[in-house]
Amino acid sequence: MAVGTHMANAFDAAGSAELSERERSLLDRRMHSLAPMYRLFYESPVSFVRAEGVFLFDGEGRSYLDAYNNVPVVGHANAAVAEAVSRQMRTLNTHTRYLNELNIDYAEELLARFPAELDRVAFACSGSEAVDLALRVMRYTTGGQGIIVTRNAYHGTTSAAAEISPSLGQNNALPLSTVVVDAPDTLRDDPATSAAGFAERVERAIAVFAERGIRFAGMIADTALSSDGLQLEPTGFLARAATVVREHGGLFTADEVQAGFGRLGTWWGFIRHGLVPDLVVLGKPMANGMPVSGLVGSEEVFGRFGTDVRYFNTFAGAEVGMSAAREVLAQVGGGLVDNSERIGGLLRETIRAASEGVDAVAQVRGAGLYAGIEFVRTDGSLHPDAEFASRVTNGLRMRRVLTSVSGGHENVLKVRPPLVFGEEHVAILGGAYRQALEEAVAFAEAERLTRPGSRAG
């Protein structure tokens, strides 16, 4: 099996032979109309025509369990969100240069979910835009340019966000104003020294900026370290890093695009670390698929930038997006954070039980409805096994369960379903995972026996 180097869990053209005539036609049209930087998931890509709750449906009417998408946080085709959007579209949709009760209502309701120190919000249309704005605020406020990120971080697609997103690949060159640090490694680090080691790496990164003659501006981190393979422990390591950042005059920005809105069983990922960030980026799940994002901070942090620089975004804060965001906030606050904690615990227990006896499964980790399964070689080296991870991912896809992979070595299975996941969905996932795991083990064993120099029983 060829493992794509350009993107984790990338489409393999060899899989197109398994597509239906309709899907092959779509693939051909896509290749002749969309720009070549786009990528598809899975060896054999999927095509959907509708969705509901935690399921997606293909053109043949077959259901696929969605255990990957965090955008429809309250479920695909959520009726209440759709009705709120439709009703508002028939009423009014303007922008933030008019007095607008709806975006003020939402701002107040959203900020009530944050620590009191974080008392202002600016709206944007995507996580990338919100990250871009965070960088502008950080740099203007501190007078610096240098930004620290983790080694496989992903923070967005604008020019500025791409410059702090090393996970976009080797051809996505990082400027001298970006320094990367290794994330904690939950599997391999000593938990007694992991947090201190991370803080020391942040301290050394700040020293690199001094050597380069670049003034330090701050650090931005996904509070689940999702792209680094879902590194959540030990709790408190981000707070320790933030202390170092502030001691050197920088600001700490928490990227909550993946971790926020109840994903980790808490409203925000930074809460797990006992941290109050200077800025917080919000994105994908904020409005269940409507283009709404935000940057939360304090009057103090926003102050100088807000006084000296105008910010306007035509669609950000408009009534239609705000109507969707308010409905999402109400539903998440109506029990989905608790559901994330409860069902997430069951999910990890189920995965661990299904993984018993499989040496390639080195660790099952996570929080709330976010789980990572790390696969390694079975030679005792703990060396990442991306090929095994790819086989399990594609095995799940063939059993109509959607997941993906993560981590700098593409060896961590990422399970991140909508927050309306229930016990019955965990059971479906657990059964499919065990089958995919067994299939991957059997293939690996067959491959080992046919390898030159091997001895069959």
Side-chain angles (χ1 to χ4, degrees):
M1 173 185 295
V3 178
T5 57
H6 56 286
M7 185 187 84
N9 190 27
F11 165 58
D12 183 344
S16 62
E18 301 177 15
L19 299 178
S20 68
E21 183 177 343
R22 171 183 170 273
E23 289 168 335
R24 280 197 297 271
S25 175
L26 283 174
L27 181 61
D28 182 67
R29 290 169 58 196
R30 175 187 171 105
M31 292 175 66
H32 286 87
S33 59
L34 297 189
M37 71 280 284
Y38 287 109
R39 301 291 186 266
L40 285 166
F41 273 162
Y42 307 115
E43 289 181 330
S44 181
V46 287
S47 172
F48 302 115
V49 297
R50 70 181 183 91
E52 182 179 351
V54 299
F55 291 99
L56 295 152
F57 299 86
D58 66 15
E60 306 299 318
R62 293 172 296 203
S63 63
Y64 290 70
L65 181 67
D66 189 353
Y68 175 72
N69 285 292
N70 72 320
V71 178
V73 64
V74 295
H76 291 277
N78 184 286
V81 174
E83 173 55 30
V85 168
S86 177
R87 183 172 58 249
Q88 192 59 48
M89 281 287 287
R90 295 191 300 267
T91 306
L92 175 70
N93 196 41
T94 57
H95 50 71
T96 54
R97 282 179 168 164
Y98 301 136
L99 276 175
N100 176 332
E101 188 172 13
L102 188 53
N103 62 35
I104 296 170
D105 286 343
Y106 178 66
E108 292 172 344
E109 292 162 5
L110 177 68
L111 292 171
R113 298 293 182 178
F114 281 88
E117 298 95 321
L118 301 173
D119 58 4
R120 296 291 189 276
V121 59
F123 296 117
C125 298
S126 69
S128 296
E129 284 187 358
V131 166
D132 193 285
L133 181 58
L135 291 172
R136 292 175 64 193
V137 172
M138 291 169 74
R139 286 168 167 161
Y140 194 84
T141 301
T142 64
Q145 288 292 312
I147 301 292
I148 298 172
V149 295
T150 52
R151 187 163 301 280
N152 203 52
Y154 172 74
H155 293 293
T157 58
T158 66
S159 293
E163 288 183 348
I164 60 165
S165 296
S167 68
L168 291 175
Q170 293 180 349
N171 295 325
N172 177 58
L174 303 182
L176 293 176
S177 57
T178 300
V179 172
V180 300
V181 295
D182 288 327
D185 187 328
T186 312
L187 176 62
R188 298 166 186 84
D189 284 355
D190 179 351
T193 59
S194 181
F198 185 63
E200 288 168 6
R201 293 193 291 276
V202 170
E203 186 95 43
R204 288 198 298 270
I206 296 170
V208 169
F209 287 126
E211 293 167 5
R212 293 176 179 177
I214 296 173
R215 186 169 177 178
F216 176 54
M219 179 175 185
I220 181 168
D222 167 4
T223 56
L225 293 189
S226 308
S227 296
D228 291 282
L230 193 62
Q231 306 295 344
L232 296 165
E233 306 296 338
T235 54
F237 73 80
L238 284 181
R240 195 157 179 170
T243 297
V244 174
V245 167
R246 289 163 175 160
E247 286 174 348
H248 290 271
L251 297 176
F252 186 91
T253 295
D255 185 338
E256 292 282 347
V257 171
Q258 293 201 55
F261 291 95
R263 170 61 50 192
L264 302 181
T266 55
W267 266 97
W268 316 112
F270 63 77
I271 291 173
R272 298 182 67 256
H273 289 278
L275 166 66
V276 178
D278 299 297
L279 293 165
V280 181
V281 172
L282 307 176
K284 295 183 196 301
M286 197 169 181
N288 219 53
M290 291 292 291
V292 177
S293 66
L295 181 65
V296 174
S298 66
E299 182 179 16
E300 178 184 3
V301 171
F302 278 131
R304 183 165 169 245
F305 180 86
T307 299
D308 295 352
V309 181
R310 288 187 301 169
Y311 170 73
F312 175 65
N313 188 322
T314 303
F315 302 107
E319 289 90 342
V320 169
M322 293 292 95
S323 65
R326 286 192 78 192
E327 182 60 36
V328 168
L329 194 70
Q331 290 191 32
V332 172
L336 290 184
V337 180
D338 291 339
N339 188 70
S340 176
E341 177 68 16
R342 182 176 65 86
I343 298 298
L346 176 64
L347 173 67
R348 292 188 297 281
E349 289 173 10
T350 300
I351 293 171
R352 289 189 182 107
S355 301
E356 286 183 6
V358 179
D359 293 338
V361 180
Q363 190 174 63
V364 178
R365 54 181 178 260
L369 274 169
Y370 208 158
I373 303 105
E374 181 156 1
F375 298 108
V376 299
R377 293 180 186 171
T378 56
D379 57 7
S381 67
L382 293 183
H383 188 88
D385 195 335
E387 186 171 352
F388 194 93
S390 181
R391 289 201 176 281
V392 175
T393 305
N394 282 284
L396 283 165
R397 175 260 178 269
M398 298 310 295
R399 290 164 177 82
R400 303 206 301 273
V401 174
L402 305 178
T403 60
S404 191
V405 292
S406 180
H409 301 285
E410 301 180 6
N411 69 312
V412 179
L413 183 71
K414 179 163 65 172
V415 182
R416 185 190 55 183
L419 297 191
V420 291
F421 226 57
E423 294 180 11
E424 67 275 27
H425 308 127
V426 171
I428 294 170
L429 187 149
Y433 169 72
R434 181 64 195 185
Q435 292 173 7
L437 202 57
E438 290 173 347
E439 184 178 77
V441 169
F443 187 94
E445 179 62 14
E447 194 174 55
R448 184 186 68 81
L449 292 175
T450 57
R451 195 174 298 135
S454 66
R455 295 175 59 189

